[in-house]
Amino acid sequence: MNKGIKVLGGILFSVCMPELLLAQGIVYSERLSGYQLKILEEVNDARWTPRYCGRVFFKSADPLGYAFEMDSMVKTHAQDMANNNLVTPIGSNGSSPEDRVSAFGGHLNLVSEIVFGGAESPEQVVNEWLKDAGTCSALMVPEATHFAVGRVVVKESQHSAYWDVVFLSEN
């Protein structure tokens, strides 16, 4: 069975199904880049599996929808980290993740954030996150209903890719 995307109530979910579903005539694979679709699938697959993150047990968590309104924010922060060769939640302008979400999110609240420098592939990145108690916990947090991801690939840098991922809940 192929993995695909399903839209329920306007929220984009990764599910196992024969093909991509269309909603309101929009092909969602055209709204998200290839790495965003793949990481949506990988994150939701990881959330489906109950697991320990360090010593904390997490039950299976609901799949996340994609927060399209946060897309430019996470991409901008990933680019900022790449420009400054730093992996940090604080922007070069002093902005915190909460500041950025408040500016872009409207009806969404920040639940957790993962900033990461390293692997380019979504599969490798999620595997790395699951090995670390902090990033694993951020990924598994049950209050999250949406997420957005930005990645910048840099060939001549300390890290081959810079990632900013926010996990969000509705107000």
Side-chain angles (χ1 to χ4, degrees), residues 45-166:
D45 285 350
R47 286 173 59 85
W48 183 253
T49 304
R51 71 183 70 247
Y52 279 93
C53 296
R55 294 183 177 165
V56 179
F57 181 74
F58 287 88
K59 295 179 182 176
S60 178
D62 289 335
L64 300 172
Y66 197 85
F68 290 102
E69 63 270 40
M70 304 300 280
D71 204 45
S72 66
M73 186 270 300
V74 291
K75 289 176 181 176
T76 299
H77 186 63
Q79 185 66 60
D80 185 40
M81 290 190 301
N83 291 346
N84 293 290
N85 201 23
L86 293 171
V87 178
T88 176
I90 304 301
S92 61
N93 64 357
S95 65
S96 70
E98 293 84 1
D99 295 335
R100 293 188 298 275
V101 168
S102 293
F104 283 84
H107 72 286
L108 297 171
N109 295 315
L110 181 69
V111 175
S112 61
E113 179 183 46
I114 297 173
V115 291
F116 183 77
E120 293 178 35
S121 94
E123 299 90 345
Q124 290 174 315
V125 168
V126 172
N127 284 335
E128 289 297 315
W129 292 345
L130 293 174
K131 292 177 189 175
D132 177 81
T135 54
C136 178
S137 295
L139 185 151
M140 292 297 294
V141 67
E143 294 82 11
T145 58
H146 296 77
F147 94 124
V149 58
R151 177 190 73 175
V152 173
V153 176
V154 183
K155 295 300 176 193
E156 296 178 21
S157 182
Q158 180 179 353
H159 304 287
S160 59
Y162 291 81
W163 297 80
D164 184 28
V165 183
V166 291

